[in-house]
Amino acid sequence: MKFSLFVLVAVALVAVSAKPQAETQYTTKFDSIDVDQILQSDRLLEGYFKCLMETGNCTPEGTELKKVLPDALQTECHKCSEKQKANTEKVIAFLTKNKKDLWKQLAAKYDPEGVYQVKYEEKAKTAGIEV
């Protein structure tokens, strides 16, 4: 699986906003979102997925997420809070194990040239994530 979307999907399901706090961290106002609830609900997960793929409506969080994704990918989620990083690991593990089709579609859209996949592959292996 591709680690580059590790950041993407986590940010999506944590619903990180694009508005940085003091330009050093993404907002944490969505950190209380129950990621487990989203992962266990096909309806909720599909809603976030469709938002990211631009095939469905977005919540306000999803709209902001699409704005922050390029920066999060480029900076290895440098502006993410610890909670967001932890949720990222949870989300990526779930998607790579249980929703490979969604994972592949997100990778095709957000990293079509594989730039981030190569960049993060070794990091993923170190973290114990299958690539």
Side-chain angles (χ1 to χ4, degrees):
M1 290 298 120
K2 310 298 187 258
F3 184 80
S4 66
L5 293 193
F6 172 79
V7 175
L8 166 74
V9 176
V11 174
L13 295 179
V14 176
V16 176
S17 173
K19 299 177 184 174
Q21 295 176 350
E23 296 190 337
T24 60
Q25 187 178 32
Y26 302 124
T27 185
T28 58
K29 74 180 184 178
F30 302 116
D31 281 10
S32 63
I33 288 177
D34 186 348
V35 172
D36 291 316
Q37 181 183 21
I38 293 167
L39 296 176
Q40 297 306 316
S41 168
D42 287 339
R43 181 185 60 81
L44 292 174
L45 184 59
E46 186 171 324
Y48 278 100
F49 174 77
K50 284 183 176 182
C51 170
L52 292 173
M53 295 301 291
E54 299 179 345
T55 59
N57 295 328
C58 292
T59 63
E61 298 88 357
T63 300
E64 293 299 316
L65 167 64
K66 287 192 293 186
K67 293 177 188 175
V68 75
L69 287 179
D71 182 67
L73 286 171
Q74 290 177 346
T75 65
E76 300 178 38
C77 208
H78 181 70
K79 296 177 185 176
C80 293
S81 69
E82 290 305 313
K83 174 77 172 182
Q84 292 161 356
K85 289 177 184 179
N87 281 336
T88 296
E89 293 177 13
K90 182 183 290 188
V91 169
I92 197 66
F94 178 84
L95 290 177
T96 58
K97 182 177 180 182
N98 302 300
K99 300 288 184 177
K100 292 178 184 180
D101 58 324
L102 299 182
W103 183 256
K104 288 178 183 179
Q105 291 176 61
L106 288 167
K109 178 169 179 68
Y110 287 96
D111 191 17
E113 296 177 10
V115 173
Y116 302 112
Q117 296 168 25
V118 171
K119 182 177 180 180
Y120 297 118
E121 188 174 83
E122 188 59 38
K123 188 178 268 190
K125 290 178 184 177
T126 302
I129 298 170
E130 288 184 38
V131 290

